[in-house]
Amino acid sequence: MLVSSSSHLLILFLVSFAVSVSSVSVRRGTPLDITFDQSDETPTYLWPLPAEYTSGNEALDVDPALKLTVAGNGGGSAVLRAGFDRYRGIVFKHTGLGLGFSFMRKLRERLVSSVSAYDVDTLNITVHSDNEELQFGVDESYTLLVPKAKDSSRVTIEANTVYGALRGLETFSQLCSFDYTTKKVKIYKAPWSIQDKPRFAYRGLLLDTSRHYLPITVIKQIIESMSYAKLNVLHWHIIDEESFPLEVPTYPDLWKGSYTQWERYTVEDAYEIVNFAKMRGINVMAEVDVPGHAESWGAGYPDLWPSPSCREPLDVSKNFTFDVISGILTDIRTIFPFELFHLGGDEVNTDCWRSTPHIKEWLQNHNMTARDAYQYFVLKAQEIAVSKNWSPVNWEETFNTFPSKLHPKTIVHNWLGPGVCPKVVAKGFRCIYSNQGVWYLDHLDVPWDEVYTAEPLEGIQKASEQELVIGGEVCMWAETVDTSDVQQTIWPRAAAAAERLWSQRDSSSKNVTVTALPRLQNFRCLLNKRGVPAAPVKNFYARRAPVGPGSCYEQ
C-alpha cells in the first residue's frame, strides 16, 4: 500500500508524541499548578470530609483504561457496575476522547510495553453483602486505600454494602484530578487511607413539585447531584394545594388538579425516579400532605372540599375522604419502597370545618372541637399509613398540638424553628431537623456559613436522646423556583448541610472560613465541571450569578 508523505509525517508525529507522553508518565510527585493544588500546604479537597483519613505527598497517574475487579458476595451487583461506569465517565471525561487519542495510547503502550505507563490501573471493590435492599439505616461505611507509588497499581474500596461502595466511588472520583499539561488523571497526596461512615442515617433534600412542576429529567439531574454530596433521601413533596400532578390509578381524576395536562407524573415516571435514585443509593420519601395543603384534590373530586367556597382542609366528616387517602397510599405503596412516608399535617386552618354546616353538625354529633377533629384526622391517616407498613412522618405542628396521641412510630419533622428536636426526643419520638431559619433553601438571604454551622443535636445532651435525631434535610420549596433556577438555588448551600450531616462534628466545626470555605468553593467548581449549575458560594443572595469576570476558584 502506498503511503503519502503527509501520512508519514503524521505517523512520525504520533510516535514522537507517544514516546514523549510515556516519558512524562514516569515522573511522580508533580504538584498541580493551580490555586487549588493538592500540595501538603493545602486543605484536603474532599466534600463531605471523611470520618478518618491520612494522606502522603506523592502524585500517581491513573490509567484511563482503569479496570474494575470485584470480590465479596456483593461484588457482582449491577448497582456497583453501573456506579463504576458512571464515575469512570466523570473521572476520565477529558481522556480517551476520539480515535486519535485511542490510537496514540495503543501505540504508546506497544512502544513501552515493558514499562508500566501508569501508577494505578485497577480499582478493586469488595462488597461483603449481596443484599441490595435500600432502606433507612443501610450501612454506607467504606474503606478506601490508595497505595504508594510502586507498592501496587491497585486502589481498593471495601464496604459491607453496595451503597457504601457507591460512597467510596464518589470519594475516589474527588481524589482524581485531570492535569491539563500532561493530559493525565492524577491522584495527589498519595498514599491515602480513608475510613468513612456517615454521622446521620438520614440526609435529605426536599423537592417541591407542586408550586412549580419539574420535568423528570430535571429531577434526575438533582438526584445525580445529591449523590455527589452523599445525600441519601429525596423528600418528594409531590402535591400541595396549588397542583396535584401525580397519577393515582384508583382515583384517576385526582390529577385533574395538575396545572395542565402536560405537567403531570405518570406511575411509570414515579417508578423511573425511584429506581434512578436507588442506583445512586438514594431513597425517595413521598409526601401526601393532609388534611391541609390539599385544595387541588377537589378539582377531580369536589366532594373532598368542605364546600365549593371553602376548600380546605379536606372534609373530615366524610368516609369518602379517608377512602381516597387509603386509595392513594395503596397505589403508591408499590412505587415507594422506602419505609418512611410523609403525611404532612402542617398549617391546618380549621375555619372551614367550623363554618360549614354539615361539618359543624358532624363535630357536634361526635362531641369534637375543630382541634379535636384535626387530631382525629392526623391519627386516622397515620393508621392507614402504618397498616401499609410505613413509619409516618409528620410536620412538627402535630407534635406541638397532641404529642401524647401520636403513633409511637411517628417521626416528627422540625421546621418552625430551633428547640423542637430536644422536646421531641425527650418524649421518645424520632426527629428530623429542618429549622427553616437555616435549612430552608427558599430563604435566599441565609448565607452558606449559617447553613454549615447549624447543628441538629443542639440542646440535646443525653446519648440515648441524640440517637433519636435520625438526621436532617434542607428544603427546596418552589414558590420562586422552577427548572430555570432550581439547581443554583439548591447548590452549593445544600452541600454545606450535607457535610454537617455526614462528617464528624469536631472535624467540621472549627474556623469555617479556614476549614470549610475553600473546600466548599472547590466543591462548587466540581459541581460546575460535572454540569451542575451551582451558584457562587459567597453570593449574599443565593443563586445570584457572578458580578464580574473571574475564576471559579476565586469566588
Side-chain angles (χ1 to χ4, degrees):
M1 182 178 69
L2 294 176
V3 180
S4 67
S5 60
S6 61
S7 297
H8 277 298
L9 290 172
L10 176 60
I11 291 172
L12 287 171
F13 167 76
L14 294 177
V15 171
S16 174
F17 180 87
V19 173
S20 67
V21 171
S22 67
S23 67
V24 170
S25 69
V26 300
R27 295 189 218 150
R28 300 184 177 94
T30 305
L32 188 61
D33 187 24
I34 58 173
T35 302
F36 284 85
D37 63 35
Q38 296 286 356
S39 62
D40 290 339
E41 292 76 23
T42 59
T44 299
Y45 288 108
L46 294 174
W47 197 278
L49 205 62
E52 298 178 31
Y53 62 93
T54 60
S55 60
N57 56 11
E58 296 183 346
L60 309 182
D61 297 328
V62 185
D63 191 343
L66 184 71
K67 299 187 295 291
L68 172 67
T69 62
V70 298
N73 294 330
S77 166
V79 175
L80 178 61
R81 167 56 71 176
F84 173 76
D85 290 343
R86 280 197 313 276
Y87 280 106
R88 185 166 57 180
I90 290 171
V91 170
F92 300 107
K93 181 173 64 174
H94 293 291
T95 61
L97 299 178
L99 294 175
F101 186 90
S102 177
F103 172 77
M104 287 184 285
R105 180 166 62 83
K106 291 178 180 178
L107 180 59
R108 184 190 66 233
E109 288 171 352
R110 287 198 297 270
L111 290 169
V112 293
S113 58
S114 61
V115 179
S116 176
Y118 296 98
D119 302 301
V120 174
D121 59 21
T122 303
L123 178 61
N124 178 258
I125 302 179
T126 300
V127 178
H128 294 296
S129 172
D130 62 357
N131 185 357
E132 293 184 357
E133 184 179 6
L134 181 61
Q135 278 294 359
F136 173 71
V138 69
D139 189 340
E140 297 173 272
S141 64
Y142 67 92
T143 298
L144 171 60
L145 300 176
V146 178
K148 293 178 66 175
K150 297 184 179 179
D151 279 5
S152 172
S153 61
R154 177 172 300 197
V155 170
T156 62
I157 294 174
E158 184 176 1
N160 291 321
T161 72
V162 66
Y163 304 110
L166 290 181
R167 305 301 175 232
L169 277 167
E170 173 58 40
T171 300
F172 171 74
S173 75
Q174 292 187 27
L175 289 177
C176 294
S177 177
F178 182 69
D179 186 323
Y180 282 83
T181 302
T182 63
K183 298 185 180 178
K184 287 187 175 183
V185 170
K186 291 180 175 290
I187 296 177
Y188 293 95
K189 301 178 73 170
W192 285 91
S193 175
I194 298 173
Q195 292 81 37
D196 201 9
K197 62 180 180 179
R199 183 181 174 209
F200 291 101
Y202 183 107
R203 307 178 306 281
L205 168 69
L206 178 147
L207 197 62
D208 172 10
T209 59
S210 175
R211 275 51 180 258
H212 282 99
Y213 175 84
L214 294 174
I216 60 170
T217 52
V218 175
I219 296 175
K220 286 181 177 180
Q221 290 167 4
I222 292 168
I223 291 170
E224 191 82 66
S225 64
M226 289 172 64
S227 70
Y228 302 153
K230 297 186 173 74
L231 293 173
N232 70 346
V233 179
L234 177 71
H235 174 180
W236 191 5
H237 189 87
I238 311 175
I239 56 183
D240 209 293
E241 61 188 43
E242 290 84 0
S243 73
F244 196 119
L246 181 66
E247 179 184 18
V248 179
T250 301
Y251 291 94
D253 288 342
L254 278 170
W255 70 355
K256 287 184 177 180
S258 63
Y259 287 122
T260 66
Q261 61 178 312
W262 303 284
E263 295 170 291
R264 291 174 171 174
Y265 304 105
T266 65
V267 167
E268 292 79 10
D269 290 336
Y271 269 118
E272 188 174 346
I273 288 168
V274 169
N275 291 330
F276 183 90
K278 180 181 179 181
M279 294 296 288
R280 287 145 184 84
I282 295 172
N283 275 301
V284 181
M285 177 177 70
E287 179 176 359
V288 175
D289 195 347
V290 293
H293 292 280
E295 180 180 341
S296 61
W297 299 35
Y301 297 95
D303 283 351
L304 293 170
W305 289 332
S307 73
S309 61
C310 203
R311 299 183 171 185
E312 64 178 17
L314 296 169
D315 193 332
V316 66
S317 70
K318 294 177 180 174
N319 290 332
F320 177 64
T321 300
F322 297 99
D323 290 341
V324 172
I325 293 173
S326 181
I328 294 171
L329 269 58
T330 298
D331 283 357
I332 67 177
R333 190 62 178 105
T334 61
I335 303 172
F336 298 97
F338 191 39
E339 67 185 68
L340 309 186
F341 185 82
H342 210 301
L343 287 166
D346 62 312
E347 298 182 318
V348 178
N349 183 339
T350 57
D351 287 350
C352 274
W353 291 349
R354 288 192 290 264
S355 62
T356 303
H358 76 270
I359 298 181
K360 283 178 63 177
E361 182 180 358
W362 182 88
L363 291 173
Q364 292 171 355
N365 291 341
H366 289 79
N367 195 28
M368 284 189 190
T369 65
R371 182 187 178 99
D372 296 332
Y374 169 45
Q375 173 184 307
Y376 167 82
F377 199 118
V378 167
L379 298 185
K380 191 161 179 122
Q382 284 195 334
E383 289 175 6
I384 296 171
V386 171
S387 73
K388 302 183 188 309
N389 202 29
W390 265 318
S391 293
V393 183
N394 282 100
W395 295 108
E396 69 175 75
E397 286 95 327
T398 58
F399 174 83
N400 296 339
T401 307
F402 42 89
S404 63
K405 302 296 184 180
L406 292 172
H407 193 280
K409 296 175 69 174
T410 301
I411 299 172
V412 178
H413 196 165
N414 152 248
W415 74 277
L416 284 171
V420 176
C421 282
K423 297 176 183 177
V424 169
V425 298
K427 293 285 188 181
F429 292 105
R430 291 175 290 174
C431 191
I432 296 172
Y433 176 88
S434 290
N435 177 2
Q436 65 171 332
V438 286
W439 279 11
Y440 266 32
L441 298 174
D442 56 312
H443 294 194
L444 303 179
D445 58 344
V446 178
W448 77 271
D449 56 324
E450 292 185 18
V451 179
Y452 186 79
T453 56
E455 175 47 53
L457 297 184
E458 183 178 6
I460 305 173
Q461 305 302 324
K462 294 181 180 179
S464 59
E465 294 182 352
Q466 290 180 348
E467 292 175 358
L468 293 175
V469 179
I470 64 173
E473 72 178 32
V474 284
C475 300
M476 186 65 271
W477 299 106
E479 283 84 351
T480 65
V481 165
D482 65 5
T483 298
S484 69
D485 60 357
V486 63
Q487 294 236 55
Q488 49 267 64
T489 312
I490 292 172
W491 305 107
R493 291 184 302 161
E499 179 157 290
R500 173 62 59 232
L501 292 167
W502 179 278
S503 305
Q504 299 303 304
R505 184 176 184 177
D506 58 355
S507 67
S508 55
S509 300
K510 300 172 185 176
N511 184 342
V512 298
T513 303
V514 174
T515 62
L517 178 57
R519 292 187 302 105
L520 182 56
Q521 290 176 320
N522 187 71
F523 184 72
R524 181 254 174 167
C525 297
L526 177 144
L527 291 174
N528 287 174
K529 286 180 179 179
R530 296 183 181 184
V532 181
V537 173
K538 293 195 294 184
N539 282 2
F540 172 73
Y541 209 62
R543 77 184 179 209
R544 279 188 176 175
V547 296
S551 167
C552 177
Y553 297 94
E554 296 177 350
Q555 302 166 38

